[in-house]
Amino acid sequence: MSLDPRGPRFAAGLTSVVFVVILLTGSGWLALAQAVIFAVGAWDPRRTPYGLLYRYAVAPRLTPPAEREDAAPVRFAQAVGLVFALVTAAGYLSGAPVVGVVGASFALLAAFLNAVFGLCLGCEAYLLIRRLRAA
C-alpha cells in the first residue's frame, strides 16, 4: 500500500487542531475519539475520517503526487499516536489532568512537526527500528 504524502500531512494538520482543542478544554472524550481515529489509521491510514476527507475533498483539487510513500511507517506513526491519545484520555478521564496535558502536548508536537515541516517522528522511529533490526 502506498500513500500520497500530502494526505498524512493534511491529517496531521487536523490532528494538531484536535489536540489544541483537547488542551484548551481538557476533554478526555475528544482524546478518546482521536484515539479511535488513530486506531483506524494504524490499520489503514486511507480509511480514517481525515484520510477520506483528503481523498474525496482535497486531492481531486490538487495535481497528482510526484511520488508516493510506503504506508508502513505512517501506520506505525498512527499506532504511536494511538498510545499518546489513550494516555491523554486516561489522564483527563481519571482525574489526572497533568498526565492528560503531557500526553496531549507530546501528540500535538508530533502532529505539528508533521503538518508544518513534513517531519513524521513516528515514521522516523519506524525506519530507525528497521535499521537496528537489520544490524
Side-chain angles (χ1 to χ4, degrees), residues 16-134:
S16 296
V17 171
V18 169
F19 275 105
V20 166
V21 172
I22 289 169
L23 284 166
L24 291 174
T25 64
S27 175
W29 295 108
L30 183 56
L32 202 54
Q34 181 61 50
V36 170
I37 292 170
F38 279 137
V40 172
W43 173 63
D44 185 350
R46 300 171 303 171
R47 305 270 185 234
T48 66
Y50 306 153
L52 293 171
L53 180 63
Y54 176 79
R55 186 181 328 163
Y56 294 113
V58 178
R61 293 169 171 73
L62 303 174
T63 60
E67 59 187 37
R68 299 185 68 78
E69 67 182 11
D70 183 23
V74 176
R75 291 175 55 216
F76 180 81
Q78 292 288 300
V80 172
L82 171 61
V83 171
F84 279 101
L86 289 173
V87 166
T88 300
Y92 282 126
L93 294 174
S94 70
V98 172
V99 173
V101 167
V102 169
S105 297
F106 279 120
L108 173 59
L109 175 65
F112 180 80
L113 287 174
N114 191 359
V116 175
F117 300 109
L119 175 61
C120 175
L121 295 178
C123 300
E124 294 299 324
Y126 173 85
L127 295 173
L128 179 63
I129 291 167
R130 294 269 318 229
R131 282 188 217 116
L132 291 174
R133 284 180 137 182

